[in-house]
Amino acid sequence: MKISKNTAEHYIWGQQCDGWHLVKREELSVIHERMPAGTEEVRHYHEQARQFFFVLKGVATIEVEGEVIQLHEQEGIEIPPRVPHHMMNKSGQEIEFLVISQPTSKGDRVVRD
């Protein structure tokens, strides 16, 4: 079945950020997310889920185990299970990216300080 942001299940998270479930299964999750300028998620890790973040628009900043990495359009990073990470938008413009999780990250997140 064909899917798009217009037809996908939408939700709001964090500080006015958007997410669209493109694939929502126990074994695989694909989410298109949008973060306005100056927003960020909480630092966390996943017990089981392996994630891949891929930037579609803008410049994202992600902290992975203390290392700060900038991801530009068409760049991505894989985050193994149990590795603390923290996605941020430090730019002056909104960013959009894909988050692919296997298995789903729902109920699998552990918040870190």
Side-chain angles (χ1 to χ4, degrees):
M1 176 167 46
K2 184 176 172 178
I3 189 82
S4 74
K5 279 176 44 178
N6 294 329
T7 60
E9 177 186 337
H10 174 259
Y11 64 96
I12 296 175
W13 63 273
Q15 306 161 334
Q16 306 167 337
C17 300
D18 292 289
W20 294 268
H21 287 285
L22 303 178
V23 175
K24 188 177 180 182
R25 296 196 178 118
E26 287 296 318
E27 68 276 8
L28 177 66
S29 169
V30 179
I31 300 173
H32 184 149
E33 292 193 348
R34 183 194 67 82
M35 294 177 72
T39 58
E40 60 186 83
E41 67 174 344
V42 297
R43 190 168 192 264
H44 67 281
Y45 66 88
H46 298 280
E47 290 284 348
Q48 302 293 321
R50 175 173 298 276
Q51 294 189 303
F52 183 73
F53 292 81
F54 188 78
V55 176
L56 301 171
K57 176 182 172 186
V59 178
T61 302
I62 189 166
E63 178 262 322
V64 181
E65 285 193 304
E67 181 182 357
V68 177
I69 302 162
Q70 279 196 335
L71 297 173
H72 297 265
E73 290 180 15
Q74 307 302 303
E75 293 181 334
I77 189 167
E78 181 179 358
I79 310 292
R82 303 183 73 67
V83 172
H85 57 282
H86 177 200
M87 178 65 89
M88 301 164 273
N89 183 354
K90 293 186 172 190
S91 76
Q93 299 179 16
E94 75 177 22
I95 60 174
E96 292 190 27
F97 54 95
L98 295 177
V99 182
I100 301 162
S101 304
Q102 194 248 340
T104 184
S105 60
K106 184 173 174 64
D108 184 43
R109 186 167 91 160
V110 177
V111 175
R112 293 283 309 263
D113 293 332

